[in-house]
Amino acid sequence: MTKFRNHDAFTGLEAAIVLIAFVVVAAVFSYVVLGAGFFTTQKAQATIHTGVQQASSSFEVVGNVFGCAPTSTSSLDYVNMTLALTAGGTPVDMSQMVVSYNDGLTRWSNLTYDGESCPAGMYTSLTPGTNVQGHWCIAAKINNSTIPSELLGPNEQYVLAVQMPTTTTVNTQFTINLQPAAGAVLPLTRTVPGAINKVQMLY
């Protein structure tokens, strides 16, 4: 007696198994690709935000910059400037800011921060020498309501006093760099006028 065997059912089952396997593999692959895409997008957004934050300064100089020389007629003693946040800028911790100075003859890479304890007579010009660095402080605050007080917040203005070296004589061009903890350096380049008075605007 001859027996006939039909393998159609087994062939269909194998095809179904192969199809399911392909679907599962494709789903896993799609999940991996999508996950990698989302991760890449998030990293790109973080990089862009960080780049914008680092490329733009958090504050700006408001009004004029004044050179003061109450004790000298040959060089500036200190410079006064008023800082405020740029539009949409985040608060800046002034205690973390690095102030540097350069006029071609004198270069101070990191002036000493005196906080809100400015000397009673402010600063006198400092003769450059080995390991000599100038000082700077917060001389006044306008509309200050931020806690802690050294945090420059929105709608606030801080007046800084930056000590000058004796090399800031007449017609000398100098640059003061203000480097916040986050953000780009704010360079401030000014020229000492042809005659030095007790107070003068610098351009």
Side-chain angles (χ1 to χ4, degrees):
M1 183 177 176
T2 304
K3 294 183 179 180
F4 296 95
R5 297 182 180 181
N6 191 335
H7 297 282
D8 292 342
F10 291 98
T11 302
L13 181 61
E14 292 171 356
I17 292 173
V18 172
L19 179 62
I20 292 172
F22 273 116
V23 171
V24 171
V25 171
V28 172
F29 179 75
S30 300
Y31 176 78
V32 172
V33 171
L34 288 175
F38 288 138
F39 176 77
T40 303
T41 302
Q42 291 173 352
K43 294 296 288 184
Q45 289 177 345
T47 302
I48 291 173
H49 289 311
T50 302
V52 170
Q53 184 182 32
Q54 293 295 329
S56 59
S57 179
S58 301
F59 47 72
E60 61 184 353
V61 176
V62 178
N64 296 312
V65 177
F66 295 93
C68 303
T71 66
S72 174
T73 57
S74 59
S75 63
L76 297 180
D77 289 336
Y78 61 93
V79 167
N80 272 351
M81 68 191 75
T82 303
L83 297 184
L85 293 180
T86 56
T90 56
V92 175
D93 186 354
M94 304 302 288
S95 65
Q96 300 298 318
M97 185 172 68
V98 176
V99 178
S100 60
Y101 172 90
N102 184 23
D103 64 15
L105 295 176
T106 302
R107 184 179 183 276
W108 292 334
S109 59
N110 188 3
L111 279 74
T112 302
Y113 175 54
D114 291 333
E116 302 170 55
S117 302
C118 292
M122 298 301 288
Y123 296 116
T124 58
S125 55
L126 184 63
T127 302
T130 306
N131 299 324
V132 172
Q133 293 278 2
H135 291 243
W136 71 279
C137 64
I138 300 175
K141 298 178 180 180
I142 303 172
N143 298 328
N144 176 245
S145 60
T146 307
I147 302 299
S149 62
E150 291 179 325
L151 198 65
L152 176 62
N155 302 319
E156 297 178 352
Q157 295 180 1
Y158 283 6
V159 180
L160 306 187
V162 180
Q163 189 176 22
M164 294 285 103
T166 53
T167 52
T168 49
T169 54
V170 294
N171 300 320
T172 297
Q173 186 181 74
F174 63 88
T175 299
I176 298 174
N177 289 321
L178 307 175
Q179 173 66 67
V185 175
L186 177 63
L188 188 68
T189 301
R190 294 292 187 273
T191 301
V192 182
I196 296 179
N197 302 310
K198 289 188 176 182
V199 179
Q200 50 261 303
M201 287 189 294
L202 302 179
Y203 300 98

